[in-house]
Amino acid sequence: MNMTLTEAFNNTAYPVGGHGKRNIQVLREALQDVDNNLDSDMYGKGNVIEDFQSEMAEYLGKESAVFFPSGTMAQQIALRIWCDEKGYKQVAYHPLCHLEIHEEDGLKEMHHIEPVLLADQNRLITLEDVQSLQVDISCLLLELPQREIGGQLPDFEELEAISAYCHNKGIKLHLDGARLFEITPYYKKTAAEICALFDSVYVSFYKGIGGIAGAILAGDTEFTTKSKVWKRRHGGDLISLYPYVISSDYYFKQRIDKMVQYYEEAKELAGLYNKCTHTSTLPKEPVSNMFHVHFDMPKEQLEPILLSIYEATSIGLIPTLRDNGETGCYCEVSIGDRYAGVPKEKLKTAFQMLAEKLAN
Amino acid sequence: MNMTLTEAFNNTAYPVGGHGKRNIQVLREALQDVDNNLDSDMYGKGNVIEDFQSEMAEYLGKESAVFFPSGTMAQQIALRIWCDEKGYKQVAYHPLCHLEIHEEDGLKEMHHIEPVLLADQNRLITLEDVQSLQVDISCLLLELPQREIGGQLPDFEELEAISAYCHNKGIKLHLDGARLFEITPYYKKTAAEICALFDSVYVSFYKGIGGIAGAILAGDTEFTTKSKVWKRRHGGDLISLYPYVISSDYYFKQRIDKMVQYYEEAKELAGLYNKCTHTSTLPKEPVSNMFHVHFDMPKEQLEPILLSIYEATSIGLIPTLRDNGETGCYCEVSIGDRYAGVPKEKLKTAFQMLAEKLAN
């Protein structure tokens, strides 16, 4: 059933989420204006990688930055460096942290670091959670926005208080900024202003930026120098990372100024969902380009409804549904370039149909 | 001084080694005939990666194959899997094994595997070395050819004997086949015939094949299934590996049939070096596309000689020299596409000049 929904979504003229298809054209476009004679990077050296690293260090307000093939690699390494420095093999993070649920326990299996899970999995980490820690930790990881609960964010004041507390207690603070660019409009802060609260920062180039793959890990030079040694140990110090570097750079420049637009569009789309019965978004009003849509209806019941709407309107609302408990289902929505190209009248019709079908 | 030699080499009309410059054109050429609509792989799934993995599994004569961003990652993982299976956290390899000298001790730091160094660093591992092991090991790693000593190879009969011994003793045998494709002409064996002696095999796509980056790890399905879990733990299960997959596939098809040519050319070139005094190649007669050239002369004395030859003939013989003890120096030569385009008369002149200058 799920494949059918995904196929139908992909076959609509107007899929609502994301930037577009992840196909070879994405790479070809990024290369289109690059000089054929531009030399490859070589094991982390060379202009193509070093220039981008410098640019991102400046953008994030950090002394130094290192390009990694993946965030999985970058973040394990960040936590390992802080654990080695502080001497405790414990860190704290949210129960739905990427390292806890998507990385096959690499942090535990390779680095022997034990996480303390803070907060209930359905809510954000608070200052009080951090203050209540009963064990010594080397590092606290905060994910902004907290993706698995719809991309929620704490108030900036709470963030500042957590940062100050950690600083006073000698706890390193690491930012999982997989979607950092996407939250600057809500906070009305620059990326550097947000990053200033953290000792180390990871950002990704294939979420809101829409690149092919790749990540940056930033911090002070002592930290990033160590991270390069670990990058080699992990097998991430490739002879050539330029396909990812060039595409990250290209799409960063294409889309960094569109984050406000995506954020406004996400609020608009969430508003349309929230007008339907049996339907609610999390957060109620998005704080980035993403949110979750929850339906108090089994996905087996909802899927035929969605399929009929896609068929009738050529609007693809949702690519895939996940079960949520016994009787509900949900999906993640991320706004990208596609949304602006969706005819508003057709979208309105699709939501009218959805509202009617859900009300029956 | 070294930079000067490298710059001069790169500025010659006819650099003798390698395939060509490592620049963006290498990627663009690999993409030229690919349909823009070809979908990206997604975290190891999708036709673009699965088809290539199947193709390589068949070529290597193994049940299954997995594409990795790097050999560093693939090989640590192979050894980890065998250690977990056999129960000993020890493996054996050559003192100049890639894992020992180029990976910042990732195997030890992340996997807590201790290597036993077999053989003197200046010679190949023999059956006797393996038979003389005093400790239990889970796996023996053999590198064919042994790059750091000029790319030497054992006789195939010795390989067969080592393989049979390991099989009888329950020791897993892993092939570091970074340059496996390049040795098939010497052994007069298919890659699959060589791989049949090993439980697991790694091959690279940016040495003789001349791709951008990437590696394949092959073995039985139980082994490769485990390797995918470790690939994720290492941070190598990227959302998109297609830039490396497509270029590996493209250059594999371009060059796999040229390995005989490179091997013959390497023998020819080594013969030219061996006619000069103060000069010898290792091995005397190459057994692949690579060899080392040793000069019993300090590099400070040799570099001006080479520079004058590059200037006079527009032939670039050697890109960089490394010290070898107090009074000697050496370099690695790898034959690729460029050699066939070097005018034979000019090459002859360059070697005449070298012979004369070295004789004085």
Side-chain angles (χ1 to χ4, degrees), chain A residues 143-158:
Chain A
E143 181 185 351
L144 302 179
Q146 195 76 49
R147 181 217 182 159
E148 301 287 348
I149 50 173
Q152 297 180 51
L153 282 178
D155 289 341
F156 199 74
E157 293 67 32
E158 176 115 21

Side-chain angles (χ1 to χ4, degrees), chain B residues 258-314:
Chain B
K258 290 183 164 182
M259 295 299 156
V260 174
Q261 174 195 322
Y262 302 150
Y263 166 54
E264 294 300 331
E265 290 169 339
K267 287 190 286 186
E268 179 180 285
L269 184 62
L272 293 171
Y273 276 111
N274 284 315
K275 281 185 195 148
C276 302
T277 54
H278 303 291
T279 308
S280 60
T281 68
L282 183 70
K284 183 80 186 291
E285 179 168 293
V287 291
S288 71
N289 73 324
M290 74 163 287
F291 56 90
H292 285 186
V293 190
H294 287 262
F295 301 93
D296 61 359
M297 174 182 290
K299 75 177 185 188
E300 291 70 23
Q301 199 178 330
L302 181 58
E303 279 182 353
I305 294 175
L306 292 173
L307 287 169
S308 68
I309 295 173
Y310 299 177
E311 175 79 21
T313 64
S314 62

Side-chain angles (χ1 to χ4, degrees), chain A residues 116-349:
Chain A
V116 179
L117 305 183
L118 278 186
D120 179 87
Q121 70 168 33
N122 295 316
R123 66 165 176 84
L124 293 172
I125 292 171
T126 63
L127 174 62
E128 202 184 330
D129 294 322
V130 185
Q131 287 170 331
S132 309
L133 269 166
Q134 299 296 314
V135 293
D136 288 316
I137 58 167
S138 294
C139 180
L140 169 64
L141 178 151
L142 292 182
E143 181 185 351
L144 302 179
Q146 195 76 49
R147 181 217 182 159
E148 301 287 348
I149 50 173
Q152 297 180 51
L153 282 178
D155 289 341
F156 199 74
E157 293 67 32
E158 176 115 21
L159 261 191
E160 289 178 312
I162 293 173
S163 174
Y165 179 84
C166 287
H167 189 74
N168 286 337
K169 292 285 181 185
I171 298 169
K172 296 291 182 182
L173 192 58
H174 172 77
L175 172 57
D176 178 340
R179 294 163 183 80
L180 170 67
F181 306 124
E182 295 86 323
I183 64 171
T184 52
Y186 172 74
Y187 277 143
K188 295 189 171 64
K189 303 280 180 191
T190 64
E193 284 167 336
I194 300 168
C195 292
L197 303 178
F198 294 85
D199 297 290
S200 55
V201 175
Y202 139 71
V203 292
S204 171
F205 294 96
Y206 66 88
K207 280 87 179 187
I209 299 298
I212 295 168
I216 279 279
L217 183 64
D220 64 29
T221 302
E222 189 185 337
F223 169 82
T224 57
T225 300
K226 286 177 185 164
S227 81
K228 289 180 187 175
V229 174
W230 282 106
K231 180 181 165 187
R232 177 154 285 233
R233 287 174 178 155
H234 265 253
D237 189 20
L238 307 194
I239 184 170
S240 296
L241 281 167
Y242 72 80
Y244 299 136
V245 175
I246 289 173
S247 50
S248 296
D249 190 21
Y250 177 82
Y251 289 108
F252 178 80
K253 289 181 173 67
Q254 291 280 312
R255 298 198 173 111
I256 190 65
D257 292 333
K258 290 183 164 182
M259 295 299 155
V260 175
Q261 174 196 321
Y262 302 151
Y263 167 53
E264 294 299 331
E265 291 169 340
K267 286 190 288 184
E268 178 179 287
L269 184 62
L272 293 171
Y273 277 112
N274 283 316
K275 282 186 196 149
C276 302
T277 54
H278 303 292
T279 308
S280 61
T281 68
L282 183 69
K284 182 81 187 290
E285 179 169 292
V287 292
S288 71
N289 73 324
M290 75 163 285
F291 56 90
H292 284 184
V293 190
H294 286 261
F295 302 92
D296 59 359
M297 175 182 290
K299 73 178 186 187
E300 292 70 23
Q301 200 178 329
L302 181 57
E303 280 182 354
I305 295 176
L306 292 172
L307 288 169
S308 68
I309 296 173
Y310 300 177
E311 175 80 19
T313 64
S314 62
I315 298 280
L317 292 177
I318 283 165
T320 182
L321 285 167
R322 282 175 276 186
D323 288 317
N324 189 21
E326 293 283 299
T327 56
C329 63
Y330 77 104
C331 74
E332 181 177 298
V333 174
S334 289
I335 296 294
D337 287 352
R338 276 170 166 169
Y339 189 82
V342 177
K344 284 284 151 41
E345 274 310 305
K346 280 184 184 288
L347 188 65
K348 202 174 141 190
T349 307

Side-chain angles (χ1 to χ4, degrees), chain A residues 109, chain B residues 78-89 111 113 138 226 230 233:
Chain A
E109 294 287 337
Chain B
L79 298 190
R80 174 63 184 258
I81 292 168
W82 295 138
C83 283
D84 285 353
E85 179 166 328
K86 303 301 293 183
Y88 310 114
K89 294 288 254 180
H111 296 290
I113 294 172
S138 294
K226 287 178 185 164
W230 283 105
R233 288 175 177 153

Side-chain angles (χ1 to χ4, degrees), chain B residues 15-57:
Chain B
V16 167
H19 295 301
K21 290 197 169 143
R22 289 185 61 88
N23 59 24
I24 307 303
Q25 168 60 19
V26 176
L27 176 56
R28 201 170 258 139
E29 183 185 328
L31 294 174
Q32 67 192 354
D33 294 328
V34 180
D35 182 353
N36 264 341
N37 295 312
L38 179 67
D39 283 328
S40 171
D41 51 312
M42 289 285 282
Y43 301 111
K45 304 247 187 268
N47 291 344
V48 66
I49 191 165
E50 292 178 59
D51 289 355
F52 186 61
Q53 289 175 166
S54 297
E55 191 185 320
M56 292 313 305

Side-chain angles (χ1 to χ4, degrees), chain B residues 327-338:
Chain B
T327 58
C329 61
Y330 77 103
C331 73
E332 181 175 298
V333 175
S334 289
I335 295 296
D337 287 351
R338 276 169 166 171

Side-chain angles (χ1 to χ4, degrees), chain B residues 15-247:
Chain B
V16 167
H19 295 301
K21 290 197 169 143
R22 289 185 61 88
N23 59 24
I24 307 303
Q25 168 60 19
V26 176
L27 176 56
R28 201 170 258 139
E29 183 185 328
L31 294 174
Q32 67 192 354
D33 294 328
V34 180
D35 182 353
N36 264 341
N37 295 312
L38 179 67
D39 283 328
S40 171
D41 51 312
M42 289 285 282
Y43 301 111
K45 304 247 187 268
N47 291 344
V48 66
I49 191 165
E50 292 178 59
D51 289 355
F52 186 61
Q53 289 175 166
S54 297
E55 191 185 320
M56 292 313 305
E58 192 180 338
Y59 187 83
L60 299 171
K62 295 295 182 196
E63 208 172 80
S64 177
V66 179
F67 193 88
F68 278 81
S70 73
T72 295
M73 192 182 293
Q75 295 206 107
Q76 284 181 29
I77 287 172
L79 298 190
R80 174 63 184 258
I81 292 168
W82 295 138
C83 283
D84 285 353
E85 179 166 328
K86 303 301 293 183
Y88 310 114
K89 294 288 254 180
Q90 277 132 222
V91 296
Y93 53 54
H94 191 272
L96 299 179
C97 175
H98 196 274
L99 290 99
E100 190 65 13
I101 64 173
H102 290 308
E103 301 182 10
E104 295 280 3
D105 281 339
L107 188 73
K108 300 166 200 169
E109 295 286 337
M110 298 199 303
H111 296 290
H112 307 285
I113 294 172
E114 284 303 317
V116 179
L117 304 183
L118 279 186
D120 179 85
Q121 70 168 32
N122 295 315
R123 65 164 177 83
L124 292 172
I125 292 171
T126 63
L127 173 62
E128 202 184 331
D129 294 321
V130 185
Q131 288 170 331
S132 308
L133 268 166
Q134 298 297 313
V135 293
D136 288 317
I137 57 166
S138 294
C139 180
L140 168 64
L141 178 152
L142 292 183
E143 182 185 351
L144 303 180
Q146 195 76 49
R147 182 220 181 155
E148 301 288 347
I149 51 173
Q152 297 180 52
L153 282 178
D155 290 342
F156 199 76
E157 293 66 33
E158 175 114 22
L159 261 191
E160 289 177 311
I162 293 174
S163 173
Y165 179 83
C166 287
H167 188 74
N168 286 337
K169 291 286 180 183
I171 298 169
K172 296 292 180 179
L173 191 58
H174 172 77
L175 171 57
D176 178 341
R179 293 163 183 80
L180 170 67
F181 306 124
E182 295 88 322
I183 63 172
T184 51
Y186 172 76
Y187 277 142
K188 294 188 171 67
K189 303 281 181 191
T190 64
E193 284 167 336
I194 299 167
C195 292
L197 303 178
F198 295 84
D199 297 289
S200 56
V201 174
Y202 140 71
V203 292
S204 171
F205 295 95
Y206 65 91
K207 280 87 179 188
I209 299 297
I212 295 168
I216 279 278
L217 183 64
D220 64 29
T221 302
E222 189 185 337
F223 169 82
T224 57
T225 300
K226 287 178 185 164
S227 81
K228 289 181 187 175
V229 174
W230 283 105
K231 180 180 166 189
R232 176 153 287 232
R233 288 175 177 153
H234 264 252
D237 189 20
L238 307 194
I239 183 169
S240 297
L241 281 166
Y242 72 79
Y244 300 136
V245 175
I246 290 172
S247 50

